[in-house]
Amino acid sequence: MIDFKSIIANEISKVVSINQDEIKKSIEKPKGTENGDYAFPCFRLAKTLKKAPQAIATEIKENIQINENEITKVEVVGGYLNFFVNKELLAKEVLQEMANAEEYGKSAIGNGKNIVIDYSAPNIAKPFHIGHLRSTVIGAALYKIYKYLGYNVTGINHLGDYGTQFGKLIEGYKLWGNEYNIEENPIDELTKIYIRINQACKEDEQILENCRNNFKKLEDGDPYCVELWQKFRELSLKEFQKVYDLLGSKFDSWNGEAFYSDKMSEIVEILEKSGKLIESEGAKIVDLEDKGINTPCIIEKSNGSSTYATRDLAAIMYRARTYDFDKALYVTSYEQVLHFKQIFEVAKFLGLDEKYTNVLEHVSFGMVLLPTGKMSTREGTSVKLLDLLNEAISRAKLIIEQKNPELENKDEVAKRVGVGAVIFNDLANNRVKDEIFDWDTILNFQGETGPYIQYTYVRTKSVIEKAGGVPQVSTVDSKLLQDEYSIKLLKLIYDFEDVLVQVTDKNEPSILSRYLIDVAKAYSNFYNENKIINEDKELQDARVYLTYSVGKILSIGAGLLGIEMPERM
Ligand code: ARG
């Protein structure tokens, strides 16, 4: 498809001394229509050229060669050079590209590059909570979007299946195992044991000591401890899978923390040799003061046990060797900012090539706040995610029953709408923002929600049905799509690939969610202002084809976010 930005950047690069890529990056999209479709700001040039931005813009304008079939007008406004693209060409290009709709916006820019995404990662024997949902949803969206752009992506579920809490669980199970039915209801029952043993540890130093020893025994391969650990892990995974089935989550690797149990001694040795590992109160730590991090990174506890950090360091080493990554992303809540700062610094002492240690990135996100406040496992007040998803589905079903009592397969539609609503809500805003989870907002069909996108999609379907199908693209006259509402839609559709690239630049799926809302709103305006089903058959064909294009963009875009479309609702 024609690349207006590159055309403009290429022309500008012939008359100023900045390279084309940089120019392309600085090109903006003006908000209103009066300032054209693209704008090149001349403010940065003003410094180097020691001239007023407006004078520079004028000079560039006078010297560039513009093909009028592509760019119809160039204007200087303030320090900007504004470009107006040929709208008929734009329409023609977009419609043509839609001939291969399933591939729309796909790209090869990621070819040959490896991306590792560490996401979801719930903890064995603990509830899969709403924070893990956010990680799962954000991670899965990034996964799909990188893949769509041609990257080779590996999704890793770095399960929390190791650590001192297992020493506690083993002790609790040893003491009271027969009182709890962990086969029937593993997470609930193990959580109860965990709360009880934590209480016991507070009251009795000896029990705490036993717990610590259990974990040490587990690391040393003691058969009884290993067997129990395996049982906890299997039962928990079976329960997590119910959530993954609802969300449609898939992972390429399930190597959790335990996978690294035999890979940590290498890390300790390397750090020891590097001279970075120091003793402090019996523990082995790496001091990071000089990196501006006041809390040292603990590599080995005083009883010789490994830590969450050590396992992550072993994972970095393993992933560099196994996946040769060009980017390694970690999707967790911002509560773990310090942890990732620490391990990313310590990773630089592992003797790894800088090409790996420079591309480790913490993709952090805000808390999910329920009307009742924040949740914590230890106090046992967390909301279970499976319950939450099921509630979303039954609430969606109620709404659907009211709106469309005749609808067939209501259950499947309710599932798509309910789950889609929860997913969209997780991706609707900047990920670092805390999110309030409120049922009425999430499921509002008229709000900026998942159901609104689905509803708009379903509307495009029924328009097409009324028109008797999608016309052949070759018969569509793009001159008939030159009104302001059609142009607005065409410009949005044209931008799709660019939006996906922006998502990967910032690892921010909300850029795509916002975009889909914009598309849905623009379609709603188009629908209200233009008579689609028309006596003028040619006009109808053009409008129906645009409607079809909107539907495609919505379903591809929502699909990349992990949201499935109902065909009716
Ligand atoms: N299991 C951890 C938690 O629930 C998240 C793990 C994230 N990934 C990692 N490589 N540290 O908090």
Side-chain angles (χ1 to χ4, degrees):
M1 190 155 57
I2 190 166
D3 182 352
F4 289 114
K5 250 195 203 177
S6 289
I7 290 173
I8 294 167
N10 182 35
E11 282 312 316
I12 297 176
S13 73
K14 291 180 189 160
V15 299
V16 302
S17 55
I18 315 177
N19 76 46
Q20 199 185 320
D21 270 353
E22 225 164 290
I23 297 173
K24 200 175 161 187
K25 268 189 208 138
S26 66
I27 290 176
E28 300 171 7
K29 290 195 191 111
K31 283 236 164 62
T33 47
E34 68 283 0
N35 285 322
D37 306 295
Y38 296 98
F40 177 65
C42 299
F43 305 98
R44 261 182 39 218
L45 276 170
K47 270 197 191 136
T48 39
L49 297 178
K50 301 205 168 50
K51 272 187 208 163
Q54 184 154 1
I56 297 169
T58 310
E59 211 166 290
I60 298 174
K61 182 187 165 183
E62 277 159 11
N63 288 303
I64 51 175
Q65 305 264 309
I66 287 298
N67 176 349
E68 276 172 18
N69 292 326
E70 294 166 347
I71 306 288
T72 51
K73 192 164 72 167
V74 184
E75 246 177 31
V76 175
V77 176
Y80 287 95
L81 196 56
N82 294 339
F83 296 84
F84 296 74
V85 307
N86 179 338
K87 301 298 183 303
E88 260 179 63
L89 179 64
L90 174 87
K92 215 185 258 161
E93 290 279 328
V94 166
L95 299 184
Q96 207 54 55
E97 194 75 9
M98 270 293 161
N100 189 7
E102 302 315 318
E103 306 270 299
Y104 190 90
K106 251 196 187 159
S107 143
I109 58 168
N111 282 4
K113 294 211 182 79
N114 302 321
I115 310 288
V116 168
I117 311 182
D118 176 319
Y119 64 107
S120 194
N123 301 316
I124 298 300
K126 289 191 191 170
F128 192 135
H129 62 66
I130 201 158
H132 294 124
L133 169 74
R134 244 196 137 180
S135 172
T136 310
V137 166
I138 294 172
L142 291 174
Y143 184 99
K144 293 195 174 108
I145 294 166
Y146 273 102
K147 207 155 203 172
Y148 204 70
L149 294 181
Y151 292 90
N152 176 37
V153 198
T154 307
I156 302 177
N157 195 338
H158 187 81
L159 290 170
D161 56 2
Y162 223 57
T164 46
Q165 74 271 25
F166 287 94
K168 287 185 176 169
L169 275 174
I170 290 168
E171 192 60 22
Y173 190 79
K174 234 198 250 174
L175 291 171
W176 321 295
N178 55 359
E179 295 173 38
Y180 298 87
N181 188 351
I182 70 164
E183 316 277 341
E184 186 68 26
N185 211 347
I187 307 287
D188 280 351
E189 297 296 275
L190 287 169
T191 305
K192 281 183 202 153
I193 296 179
Y194 190 63
I195 292 168
R196 186 164 167 194
I197 191 74
N198 263 307
Q199 194 52 40
C201 285
K202 273 186 206 153
E203 286 156 13
D204 188 337
E205 187 67 25
Q206 184 54 48
I207 294 183
L208 183 63
E209 196 50 36
N210 293 347
C211 294
R212 289 199 182 120
N213 286 336
N214 284 340
F215 178 56
K216 188 78 185 83
K217 275 171 53 198
L218 179 64
E219 289 210 293
D220 294 340
D222 172 81
Y224 175 76
C225 290
V226 171
E227 194 190 313
L228 271 186
W229 168 80
Q230 245 157 10
K231 181 172 169 158
F232 298 157
R233 190 179 193 270
E234 264 163 42
L235 290 171
S236 305
L237 277 183
K238 224 164 116 191
E239 199 157 324
F240 296 161
Q241 193 56 44
K242 294 180 193 159
V243 173
Y244 291 140
D245 285 345
L246 273 181
L247 293 172
S249 321
K250 297 217 167 53
F251 300 91
D252 301 302
S253 162
W254 292 80
N255 289 339
E257 293 184 42
F259 176 76
Y260 300 99
S261 59
D262 62 352
K263 298 175 180 57
M264 289 182 283
S265 53
E266 184 190 0
I267 301 297
V268 178
E269 269 163 42
I270 297 174
L271 289 175
E272 221 139 43
K273 276 202 195 109
S274 75
K276 296 291 179 192
L277 206 60
I278 56 173
E279 292 257 340
S280 166
E281 299 170 31
K284 290 179 181 165
I285 65 163
V286 176
D287 186 274
L288 298 167
E289 263 299 338
D290 59 341
K291 305 281 178 203
I293 302 169
N294 294 329
T295 324
C297 185
I298 302 175
I299 302 296
E300 208 175 273
K301 293 185 190 168
S302 52
N303 67 352
S305 301
S306 66
T307 66
Y308 179 49
T310 333
R311 294 187 282 280
D312 255 331
L313 289 165
I316 291 174
M317 188 70 121
Y318 178 82
R319 291 172 190 177
R321 286 172 179 160
T322 311
Y323 305 114
D324 183 27
F325 56 76
D326 296 277
K327 251 194 217 181
L329 310 180
Y330 295 82
V331 187
T332 81
S333 92
Y334 61 56
E335 286 184 313
Q336 297 197 31
V337 162
L338 175 65
H339 167 74
F340 285 106
K341 269 195 186 148
Q342 289 176 324
I343 63 160
F344 293 168
E345 281 304 330
V346 178
K348 293 180 186 158
F349 305 138
L350 295 179
L352 277 170
D353 196 309
E354 276 190 6
K355 75 172 188 189
Y356 299 120
T357 54
N358 284 341
V359 294
L360 302 165
E361 202 174 320
H362 183 203
V363 178
S364 65
F365 55 80
M367 297 287 141
V368 182
L369 305 172
L370 293 176
T372 47
K374 214 198 118 187
M375 306 153 294
S376 139
T377 319
R378 215 160 300 171
E379 276 87 50
T381 55
S382 64
V383 169
K384 272 194 292 176
L385 195 55
L386 196 59
D387 295 346
L388 181 133
L389 289 173
N390 282 326
E391 182 166 353
I393 296 170
S394 48
R395 280 175 186 257
K397 191 160 175 204
L398 233 81
I399 301 175
I400 291 162
E401 256 156 9
Q402 276 168 7
K403 282 195 194 280
N404 191 353
E406 312 288 274
L407 187 71
E408 280 170 43
N409 57 18
K410 283 198 196 87
D411 285 324
E412 179 59 26
V413 175
K415 190 188 129 194
R416 292 183 183 195
V417 173
V419 174
V422 173
I423 293 179
F424 192 87
N425 182 55
D426 255 338
L427 301 172
N429 294 306
N430 235 320
R431 61 179 155 76
V432 293
K433 278 197 192 158
D434 285 345
E435 152 195 326
I436 310 254
F437 193 94
D438 173 55
W439 285 117
D440 292 335
T441 317
I442 293 170
L443 283 162
N444 183 351
F445 280 37
Q446 306 304 327
E448 300 188 346
T449 61
Y452 173 58
I453 307 243
Q454 290 168 322
Y455 176 76
T456 310
Y457 171 76
V458 167
R459 192 180 232 184
T460 66
K461 283 272 156 182
S462 68
V463 167
I464 293 169
E465 204 172 297
K466 241 183 242 148
V470 184
Q472 286 288 323
V473 63
S474 53
T475 66
V476 175
D477 183 354
S478 47
K479 284 193 206 69
L480 299 175
L481 294 173
Q482 297 297 305
D483 65 286
E484 112 186 56
Y485 304 100
S486 303
I487 298 276
K488 173 93 207 226
L489 275 173
L490 288 163
K491 274 178 71 174
L492 279 165
I493 298 172
Y494 175 82
D495 281 342
F496 186 58
E497 186 187 333
D498 204 35
V499 166
L500 299 182
V501 171
Q502 284 176 45
V503 170
T504 57
D505 279 347
K506 301 201 171 111
N507 295 312
E508 182 63 81
S510 69
I511 296 171
L512 177 56
S513 341
R514 306 302 318 158
Y515 165 85
L516 293 175
I517 293 290
D518 288 346
V519 173
K521 282 186 180 162
Y523 183 71
S524 168
N525 291 338
F526 167 85
Y527 182 95
N528 293 332
E529 300 295 330
N530 288 334
K531 226 174 127 225
I532 301 178
I533 305 300
N534 215 295
E535 310 79 58
D536 181 341
K537 179 78 168 72
E538 274 192 18
L539 190 56
Q540 171 173 316
D541 277 357
R543 289 178 176 170
V544 171
Y545 200 84
L546 185 54
T547 296
Y548 162 77
S549 308
V550 168
K552 279 293 166 195
I553 285 294
L554 291 177
S555 70
I556 294 173
L560 291 173
L561 297 178
I563 299 168
E564 284 185 280
M565 290 298 188
E567 296 303 308
R568 289 165 199 276
M569 68 194 265

